[in-house]
Amino acid sequence: MDPSVAIGVGVLWLLFNIFGRKKNRPQPPHPAGLPASTGADATQREGARLQDLLGEVEGRPQRVEVDTDDQVEAVIARRRAAAEAHVRPPGRSDHVAFDARIRQEPADITRTQAVSMQRLREAIVWREILGPPVSLRDPER
């Protein structure tokens, strides 16, 4: 390398350092909720933050436990009644009610939608997402 090139690079580096420095740079604003910097190292600041956090946690009100033992019998009785209502086999009236309910639903629900190019693209994308990896696919398909 030519010495004049090395000297030129050195002079440029020196100029950039001199002009690149800004005197009296404004300090960035201190984030809210954090203690002001004490000049201590990062581990000491972290310890101070943890102490503050522990103080907050200890100052929170404790949860109140509710005793529901007296309501347990009522809950058990309701569950047994609901289970007994579903234990019996369906009768003739149940079949008639079910038939009436399904006949009231519009036929549009069971109608298939027309196949469009957009739906075909979506189906291919979903197959790629949900299907097996390409390396595990059957080559015959």
Side-chain angles (χ1 to χ4, degrees), residues 112-126:
T112 59
Q113 296 181 357
V115 177
S116 67
M117 288 303 290
Q118 179 63 29
R119 287 186 48 104
L120 186 60
R121 281 188 206 104
E122 289 174 3
I124 291 171
V125 168
W126 281 112

Side-chain angles (χ1 to χ4, degrees), residues 2-137:
D2 190 24
S4 62
V5 174
I7 293 172
V9 170
V11 169
L12 282 177
W13 178 80
L14 182 65
L15 289 175
F16 278 125
N17 281 333
I18 291 172
F19 293 118
R21 292 183 187 164
K22 292 183 181 178
K23 304 239 181 199
N24 298 329
R25 285 186 183 175
Q27 293 293 330
H30 188 69
L34 295 176
S37 176
T38 59
D41 67 352
T43 57
Q44 291 175 344
R45 287 192 306 263
E46 176 106 17
R49 287 187 203 133
L50 287 174
Q51 287 295 336
D52 292 341
L53 181 64
L54 279 174
E56 282 183 31
V57 170
E58 290 174 355
R60 291 182 184 168
Q62 299 296 322
R63 291 185 182 179
V64 178
E65 295 293 327
V66 178
D67 186 21
T68 57
D69 288 340
D70 53 345
Q71 300 172 359
V72 170
E73 292 176 6
V75 171
I76 291 172
R78 273 198 328 261
R79 289 182 180 174
R80 280 188 180 155
E84 288 174 1
H86 294 291
V87 169
R88 65 177 179 80
R92 177 84 178 134
S93 62
D94 295 325
H95 290 291
V96 171
F98 176 75
D99 185 56
R101 189 178 74 230
I102 64 169
R103 290 184 188 276
Q104 287 178 355
E105 294 176 359
D108 290 340
I109 293 174
T110 59
R111 181 176 57 102
T112 59
Q113 296 181 357
V115 177
S116 67
M117 288 303 290
Q118 179 63 29
R119 287 186 48 104
L120 186 60
R121 281 188 206 104
E122 289 174 3
I124 291 171
V125 168
W126 281 112
R127 180 180 181 273
E128 291 295 320
I129 292 171
L130 298 175
V134 176
S135 63
L136 297 178
R137 291 185 188 159

